[in-house]
Amino acid sequence: MKKFMNTAETMVAESVEGFVRAHEEFVVFGADRKCIRRRHLVPGKVAIISGGGAGHEPMHIGFVGRGMLDAACVGHIFTSPTPGQIVSAIEEADTGAGCLLLVKNYDGDVMNFEMAAEMVAGRHKIEMVLASDDIETTRAGDGRGRRGVAGTLITERLLGGAAEQGQSLAELKAIGDSLSSRIRSMGVALTGVAVPHTQRTTFTLGPNEIEMGVGIHGEPGHSRELFSDADTIINHLSEAIFYDISQSTDKALLLVNGLGGTPPAELYLAYNSALRIMEEHGVRIERSLVGTYATSLDMQGLSITLAFLTDEEFSLWDSPIATAALRWGC
Amino acid sequence: MKKFMNTAETMVAESVEGFVRAHEEFVVFGADRKCIRRRHLVPGKVAIISGGGAGHEPMHIGFVGRGMLDAACVGHIFTSPTPGQIVSAIEEADTGAGCLLLVKNYDGDVMNFEMAAEMVAGRHKIEMVLASDDIETTRAGDGRGRRGVAGTLITERLLGGAAEQGQSLAELKAIGDSLSSRIRSMGVALTGVAVPHTQRTTFTLGPNEIEMGVGIHGEPGHSRELFSDADTIINHLSEAIFYDISQSTDKALLLVNGLGGTPPAELYLAYNSALRIMEEHGVRIERSLVGTYATSLDMQGLSITLAFLTDEEFSLWDSPIATAALRWGC
């Protein structure tokens, strides 16, 4: 396991410090470095706050800035931030209009964000939206519902754009909840991923094996399959998404996300394949995003996300955004 | 060797097609798909043209757009584009003010770009600038001079910004040449890289080995060393850069570039280390860029680039740019 790191104990802190120093135009550390917050908060705007374990960068810290998140908390690798970190983010980012907490649907994250919300009750108005775009966990039938993966960034972006336009906490909560059935993702891994502090890989794949339906913490998927050509792999992911998604319109956003160790050239090839499949299904891909946005450390792999959006939601997607990972219109 | 691809023969074409379809806002294919050209050319502006082998994405196609390149040609993997492709790019992009060809200093690229320039002589005004930021090849002493690696994008960006401001072909040639001694890069690989059509890795590293001074085609570097902590590795790269660079000012741009298989979290950690070392040397890092910009297929590794720039050059860096890989100010 070779990674660019000094010690497993300091890895997250050093990486986040590098991130903040590289993007001082957009972000600052909150008090005691408990969160990363937008450099220029907007008084009277609802604050959008997210967070989760480290190891998924640029998610979520790369999305802090105008038009997306006001603050984000980073836990240890693959571990929820603490309630204390989340409380600090709320206190840093709330300028009076309340906070919307956008939480990926994992037990630890949900518990800690809920605990933080209770701790600030009476002092801050809080709503919570769960991101649950990963179809794999539903298929696994473990009863805990879908987890949040790369599709989370679409909800973060749309809520961030809507908050910037002055929408209220209740309106934002309604947008977030309504998106939940229309965003679906599925991932595939070509390699397992080694967690630095345990020095263990979550699963090991042979030279001709792939893990279909992998999670962003290296959770094994629903099937181990033979390595195949890109069209076959992308078709498998796409068909599973179509089976599970709620299709309200024929216009969609297509996100091809790298899991950390897959280079741009392969992501664009996969996008080309996914786009053709979506068009064969009669879906009009109105917007696209191809890149490395929600990672699982240095895993070789990718995920496909499809999101059926309304015209108003496409307008929110297009509205000005200035963050480290996404930037347009300003 | 697991990669997202269908066949080695179609890999580049499918990937480039995916790129163009994902970024139709910025780029279109030139005639017969011989080049990628900026969607909206600016009449009377000098055209900046680059290109090289595939396998380095997003370099160069990701830099086509306002404020950077007007056209780029993509060859086969790690192979120069043909003179015919380059001629086509010149014909597509020249709106009357001439073309500046920015060429990474490899024998094949230089030969083909020179041949293309001869083929259009009399019909198009042409100047050429060589990018030669990789210190490794000088140290190897093979007499062919430094190669162009990630630092090439800095020259592309500054020339693109200057061209957008209306500078003449002669002025742009002077800027490009004057940058050459002030931009230096060095890379390190944690893994070798497998080339799809040969199914061979250019070199193989043991579990505790790294390749210091690696090139972007998987050229072996000047030494194979024991894997170590990030600070030690980054210090080695940084010291080599300081030894070789021409330092005209104390203000610099620092680029930490991923070679394809290294995730953002590790790049930010490496940036944090590099930034500290640069500051200890009395260098003021005025601008930073951290990400995956010039790859060697899916190689795990990174490069550090330092560029000493003038205030005018920092202004060019900051000027509006709208490309797939770099975007700000518009």
Side-chain angles (χ1 to χ4, degrees), chain A residues 61-74:
Chain A
I61 54 178
F63 306 138
V64 175
R66 176 177 170 191
M68 209 157 167
L69 301 180
D70 294 275
C73 305
V74 184

Side-chain angles (χ1 to χ4, degrees), chain A residues 1-7 10-23 55 57-58 188-191 205-210 227-234 259-273 275-276 279 288 290 292 295 297-298 300-302 324 327-330, chain B residues 1-7 10-23 55 57-58 188-191 205-210 227-234 259-273 275-276 279 288 290 292 295 297-298 300-302 324 327-330:
Chain A
M1 187 200 69
K2 287 181 281 188
K3 298 180 198 286
F4 292 101
M5 55 185 279
N6 290 306
T7 70
T10 60
M11 183 181 187
V12 174
E14 290 176 68
S15 176
V16 172
E17 179 171 289
F19 172 83
V20 170
R21 292 213 61 191
H23 300 291
E57 294 73 17
V188 60
L190 307 186
T191 59
L205 291 170
N208 284 311
E209 288 178 326
I210 61 176
F227 176 65
S228 180
D229 59 89
D231 283 348
T232 302
I233 295 170
I234 303 304
L259 289 173
T262 295
E266 293 179 50
L267 297 179
Y268 280 116
L269 189 145
Y271 169 78
N272 196 48
S273 179
L275 182 62
R276 192 179 55 247
E279 289 177 342
S288 295
V290 183
T292 296
T295 56
L297 294 169
D298 53 357
Q300 279 190 285
L302 58 77
R327 189 168 180 180
W328 54 75
C330 54
Chain B
M1 187 199 70
K2 287 181 283 188
K3 298 181 198 286
F4 292 102
M5 56 185 277
N6 290 306
T7 70
T10 59
M11 184 181 186
V12 174
E14 291 176 68
S15 177
V16 172
E17 178 172 288
F19 172 84
V20 171
R21 293 214 59 191
H23 299 292
E57 294 74 16
V188 61
L190 306 187
T191 58
L205 291 169
N208 284 312
E209 289 178 327
I210 61 176
F227 176 64
S228 179
D229 59 88
D231 283 348
T232 301
I233 295 170
I234 303 303
L259 290 174
T262 295
E266 292 179 50
L267 297 179
Y268 281 116
L269 189 144
Y271 169 79
N272 197 48
S273 179
L275 182 62
R276 192 180 55 247
E279 289 176 343
S288 296
V290 184
T292 296
T295 56
L297 293 171
D298 53 357
Q300 278 190 285
L302 58 77
R327 189 168 178 179
W328 54 75
C330 55

Side-chain angles (χ1 to χ4, degrees), chain A residues 300-320:
Chain A
Q300 279 190 285
L302 58 77
S303 60
I304 304 287
T305 300
L306 189 66
F308 285 107
L309 303 181
T310 65
D311 289 341
E312 293 71 28
E313 287 160 349
F314 283 116
S315 294
L316 291 175
W317 179 263
D318 292 341
S319 66

Side-chain angles (χ1 to χ4, degrees), chain A:
Chain A
M1 187 200 69
K2 287 181 281 188
K3 298 180 198 286
F4 292 101
M5 55 185 279
N6 290 306
T7 70
E9 291 67 34
T10 60
M11 183 181 187
V12 174
E14 290 176 68
S15 176
V16 172
E17 179 171 289
F19 172 83
V20 170
R21 292 213 61 191
H23 300 291
E24 288 176 337
E25 172 184 5
F26 303 122
V27 299
V28 292
F29 273 116
D32 301 327
R33 301 197 167 189
K34 287 183 181 169
C35 71
I36 309 298
R37 124 172 128 63
R38 182 172 167 180
R39 176 171 284 278
H40 303 291
L41 294 172
V42 179
K45 185 186 87 65
V46 173
I48 312 290
I49 296 173
S50 191
H56 306 308
E57 294 73 17
M59 181 175 273
H60 301 271
I61 54 178
F63 306 138
V64 175
R66 176 177 170 191
M68 209 157 167
L69 301 180
D70 294 275
C73 305
V74 184
H76 294 298
I77 293 201
F78 295 170
T79 306
S80 172
T82 63
Q85 285 183 277
I86 301 162
V87 166
S88 181
I90 293 168
E91 289 170 345
E92 292 268 345
D94 190 357
T95 60
C99 297
L100 190 134
L101 309 181
L102 184 49
V103 186
K104 298 199 298 304
N105 188 30
Y106 297 93
D107 296 351
D109 290 279
V110 174
M111 186 175 71
N112 286 359
F113 273 87
E114 283 181 345
M115 201 177 298
E118 280 174 30
M119 288 161 73
V120 301
R123 289 184 288 128
H124 298 271
K125 285 181 290 180
I126 304 289
E127 290 286 359
M128 194 178 300
V129 167
L130 293 183
S132 56
D133 54 306
D134 187 3
I135 65 171
E136 179 53 25
T137 33
T138 296
R139 293 157 63 106
D142 65 0
R144 290 185 293 188
R146 297 177 194 84
R147 312 303 180 86
V149 290
T152 307
L153 80 84
I154 299 170
T155 305
E156 290 178 342
R157 166 49 182 153
L158 299 182
L159 291 179
E164 215 75 43
Q165 295 178 357
Q167 300 210 31
S168 70
L169 187 55
E171 289 168 325
L172 295 169
K173 164 74 172 159
I175 293 174
D177 287 343
S178 90
L179 283 166
S180 129
S181 66
R182 292 181 280 133
I183 305 179
R184 288 291 179 273
S185 302
M186 187 165 161
V188 60
L190 307 186
T191 59
V193 61
V195 179
H197 49 284
T198 62
Q199 297 271 326
R200 282 212 306 259
T201 50
T202 49
F203 55 82
T204 305
L205 291 170
N208 284 311
E209 288 178 326
I210 61 176
E211 190 72 34
M212 195 62 85
V214 70
I216 56 172
H217 306 95
E219 299 93 337
H222 70 270
S223 63
R224 186 154 301 184
E225 311 221 348
L226 282 178
F227 176 65
S228 180
D229 59 89
D231 283 348
T232 302
I233 295 170
I234 303 304
N235 193 59
H236 184 125
L237 299 177
S238 302
E239 291 298 332
I241 287 170
F242 275 115
Y243 184 80
D244 197 56
I245 199 167
S246 166
Q247 182 168 356
S248 50
T249 151
D250 66 341
K251 292 193 283 192
L253 186 156
L254 175 59
L255 162 61
V256 175
N257 171 63
L259 289 173
T262 295
E266 293 179 50
L267 297 179
Y268 280 116
L269 189 145
Y271 169 78
N272 196 48
S273 179
L275 182 62
R276 192 179 55 247
I277 292 164
M278 299 302 167
E279 289 177 342
E280 285 167 2
H281 276 80
V283 177
R284 287 163 53 192
I285 300 301
E286 295 279 312
R287 298 291 183 281
S288 295
L289 190 63
V290 183
T292 296
Y293 295 105
T295 56
S296 181
L297 294 169
D298 53 357
M299 181 187 282
Q300 279 190 285
L302 58 77
S303 60
I304 304 287
T305 300
L306 189 66
F308 285 107
L309 303 181
T310 65
D311 289 341
E312 293 71 28
E313 287 160 349
F314 283 116
S315 294
L316 291 175
W317 179 263
D318 292 341
S319 66
I321 179 167
T323 70
L326 295 176
R327 189 168 180 180
W328 54 75
C330 54

Side-chain angles (χ1 to χ4, degrees), chain B residues 103-228:
Chain B
V103 185
K104 299 198 298 303
N105 187 29
Y106 297 92
D107 296 350
D109 290 281
V110 174
M111 186 175 71
N112 287 359
F113 273 87
E114 283 180 344
M115 201 176 299
E118 282 173 30
M119 288 162 72
V120 301
R123 290 184 288 128
H124 297 272
K125 286 181 289 181
I126 303 288
E127 290 285 0
M128 195 177 301
V129 168
L130 292 183
S132 56
D133 53 306
D134 187 3
I135 65 170
E136 180 53 25
T137 34
T138 296
R139 293 156 63 107
D142 64 1
R144 290 185 293 188
R146 294 177 197 84
R147 312 304 179 88
V149 290
T152 307
L153 81 84
I154 298 169
T155 305
E156 289 179 342
R157 166 51 183 151
L158 299 183
L159 290 179
E164 214 74 43
Q165 295 178 357
Q167 300 210 32
S168 70
L169 187 55
E171 289 168 325
L172 294 169
K173 164 76 172 157
I175 294 174
D177 286 344
S178 90
L179 283 165
S180 127
S181 66
R182 294 181 278 133
I183 305 179
R184 288 291 179 272
S185 303
M186 186 166 162
V188 61
L190 306 187
T191 58
V193 62
V195 179
H197 49 284
T198 63
Q199 296 272 326
R200 284 213 304 260
T201 50
T202 49
F203 55 83
T204 304
L205 291 169
N208 284 312
E209 289 178 327
I210 61 176
E211 189 72 34
M212 196 62 85
V214 70
I216 55 170
H217 307 95
E219 298 94 338
H222 70 271
S223 62
R224 185 153 303 182
E225 310 222 345
L226 281 178
F227 176 64
S228 179

